[in-house]
Amino acid sequence: MNDETPQTPETPGGGGSAPEPGPSLEKAPSGPWPSVPQDGSPEPEPESSGGGAGAGSAPASGGDTPPEPSSRWREVFREIATGSLLVSVLSVFLAVVVGSLMILLTDETVRESAGYIGARPSDFFYAVRDAVVDAYTALFRGSIYNTNVEGFDRRIRPLTETLKYSGPLILAGLGVGLAFRAGLFNIGGRGQMLLAGAAAGWVAVTVDLPLVLHLPLAVLAGAVAGALWAGLAGFLKARTGAHEVIVTIMLNYVGFYLVFYALSRQGLLQAPGSGNPKSEAMPESAKLPKLLGEDFNLHAGFVLALVAVAFVWWLLNKSALGFRFRAVGENPEAARASGIHVGRTYTTVMLIAGALVGLAGVNQVLGTATSGVTVDLDAGIGFDAITVALLGRSRPVGILAAGLLFGALKAGGFSMAAAEGIPVEIVLVIQSLIVLFIAAPPLVRAIFRLPKGATA
């Protein structure tokens, strides 16, 4: 074996020493080519630890060394926030199945027929079928197309209601999802919507301008207020390391009481001569215009949501700023090593995310509930947006689809309750179960016996 091995030329300064015996690797020729042993196996990487290279040295970082706890949590967070489409679809399916079981438990006919299932089992199964089919048929009629009324305009009214409810959900979901992509958990949607709605409402009722100036100024004021409120959390994260979850939760309360104070004081936001914590009604020059006329409630806020979807898609996939967001979200240490200013990125992404969530508040005040600003203007959207972002895998198109689904559930839930006597809380249970299953991808894999690669 050694006779067939070509002799290695002397290295400069080597003193002409012979190579060591044994299975040593052939020296690499001069140039950029890596040295390869004669048996064709790759050359092991040299040790980089300060203790010197040797057979007994510790394994290099990233080999057999277990990851740090923070890295493990980051991996879990990334899997939940940006999981696969299959997990999202199966999560919705499981939530609907469990929701159907709860519908059966609340149906009086099903309970009665279960009492004599041994004598006439067909009655029980027919009752089960009718209860589930009637419930989801009512949901469809209340959210998409109502076949029980005359006239095309009345039949499509449920669809317009779904789109109306979807607009703020999409906008707030984009704000939460964008922060997710940068590795931040923005759960301060309620405070951002409240501050944005209050700012937009204040501009609407105190500034007198024509429509072409008044409406854009009010929308801009709301977006800026939301951006600054969320940007504060990003700034604290960047400068002090304060966890954004704690900061955004606290800012929800601070924002709530600030808006409540403004609505309770004459000269700020409270309607003149009123003792209620509510502002004046929005003037016509500051309202988002109706898209299909006064007979429908659908307004331009949905168009604003579609524009925001296109903007966030471009930002994440086509811009250098979006690349920095994604790089920091994947691995902030590697992003910092490559020259990306992680702290500045945190602040910037929270500013943009807050502006998007703020537009959801503007949508509510200037489009959906124009009777005046109240502390209930968010209508739970700030927290529903977390579910929308998770279901949409933090991607703009996915968030659009998830927002439409949740808008349909919200619009159709009232129809289910009115037509079939089903508690409207069933819809909330379905939404909560969607979050539960999305947050537990291993559970979904176990239920459907899926390999891990199927949900990667």
Side-chain angles (χ1 to χ4, degrees):
M1 179 69 180
N2 289 336
D3 294 337
E4 297 176 358
T5 304
Q7 295 297 322
T8 304
E10 293 185 6
T11 57
S17 59
E20 297 179 2
S24 60
L25 304 180
E26 182 182 2
K27 283 188 175 294
S30 58
W33 306 104
S35 60
V36 180
Q38 290 182 342
D39 59 0
S41 61
E43 180 181 355
E45 292 292 332
E47 298 289 346
S48 58
S49 60
S57 59
S61 176
D64 297 331
T65 304
E68 294 293 332
S70 61
S71 300
R72 289 199 297 266
W73 281 112
R74 188 179 297 116
E75 290 296 328
V76 172
F77 173 79
R78 188 187 309 136
E79 183 176 5
I80 292 174
T82 62
S84 74
L85 176 62
L86 184 59
V87 170
S88 299
V89 173
L90 294 179
S91 298
V92 174
F93 174 76
L94 288 173
V96 170
V97 169
V98 178
S100 300
L101 294 177
M102 299 192 68
I103 290 173
L104 297 179
L105 293 175
T106 59
D107 188 89
E108 184 177 353
T109 304
V110 172
R111 293 200 305 269
E112 290 178 356
S113 60
Y116 56 89
I117 187 173
R120 295 168 61 182
S122 60
D123 287 0
F124 174 76
F125 292 112
Y126 284 139
V128 168
R129 181 200 63 185
D130 292 342
V132 175
V133 172
D134 291 347
Y136 288 111
T137 300
L139 179 66
F140 178 83
R141 287 198 302 263
S143 60
I144 305 297
Y145 192 78
N146 189 357
T147 58
N148 292 344
V149 297
E150 298 295 332
F152 179 73
D153 56 341
R154 296 179 62 191
R155 289 184 174 183
I156 66 169
R157 181 185 297 275
L159 178 60
T160 64
E161 291 296 305
T162 292
L163 298 180
K164 180 194 74 173
Y165 286 122
S166 299
L169 287 170
I170 294 169
L171 287 166
L174 288 171
V176 176
L178 182 64
F180 279 164
R181 297 297 294 272
L184 297 178
F185 204 165
N186 178 21
I187 57 176
R190 187 188 188 195
Q192 294 154 29
M193 286 186 65
L194 284 171
L195 267 294
W202 183 83
V203 171
V205 300
T206 59
V207 179
D208 186 14
L209 291 171
L211 174 63
V212 293
L213 297 177
H214 200 180
L215 178 59
L217 183 61
V219 172
L220 179 63
V224 170
L228 293 177
W229 202 245
L232 178 60
F235 177 78
L236 293 175
K237 169 80 171 181
R239 296 301 297 267
T240 68
H243 203 290
E244 73 278 1
V245 172
I246 304 300
V247 175
T248 51
I249 288 176
M250 294 299 101
L251 287 178
N252 281 338
Y253 290 101
V254 175
F256 174 86
Y257 286 110
L258 280 177
V259 174
F260 181 79
Y261 176 83
L263 291 172
S264 304
R265 295 293 184 273
Q266 293 288 329
L268 293 178
L269 267 176
Q270 191 176 41
S274 173
N276 297 322
K278 186 176 181 179
S279 74
E280 298 179 61
M282 301 299 106
E284 291 297 326
S285 60
K287 290 182 181 179
L288 292 167
K290 300 288 184 64
L291 295 180
L292 301 176
E294 294 299 324
D295 294 335
F296 297 92
N297 295 322
L298 180 62
H299 52 77
F302 183 72
V303 177
L304 186 63
L306 295 180
V307 173
V309 169
F311 166 74
V312 174
W313 180 88
W314 173 86
L315 176 67
L316 287 174
N317 297 287
K318 299 297 182 180
S319 70
L321 181 61
F323 174 79
R324 290 197 291 271
F325 289 167
R326 291 185 285 116
V328 171
E330 289 291 331
N331 193 321
E333 289 79 14
R336 183 179 291 108
S338 64
I340 296 176
H341 196 298
V342 175
R344 188 178 302 149
T345 302
Y346 283 152
T347 304
T348 304
V349 74
M350 288 299 289
L351 285 169
I352 300 176
L356 292 167
V357 179
L359 288 176
V362 172
N363 189 302
Q364 289 290 97
V365 171
L366 303 183
T368 302
T370 58
S371 60
V373 179
T374 67
V375 290
D376 299 322
L377 67 90
D378 68 296
I381 295 170
F383 290 104
D384 289 343
I386 301 173
T387 310
V388 171
L390 290 175
L391 182 59
R393 300 176 298 141
S394 303
R395 286 158 173 81
V397 177
I399 291 171
L400 171 63
L404 291 172
L405 173 63
F406 274 69
L409 290 174
K410 185 171 288 190
F414 300 108
S415 178
M416 288 175 61
E420 302 298 327
I422 298 171
V424 71
E425 288 78 13
I426 293 292
V427 173
L428 299 178
V429 170
I430 293 176
Q431 294 177 352
S432 302
L433 289 171
I434 290 174
V435 178
L436 171 65
F437 290 123
I438 287 179
L443 175 62
V444 177
R445 287 196 295 266
I447 292 174
F448 291 97
R449 298 175 181 269
L450 298 174
K452 186 171 184 179
T455 59

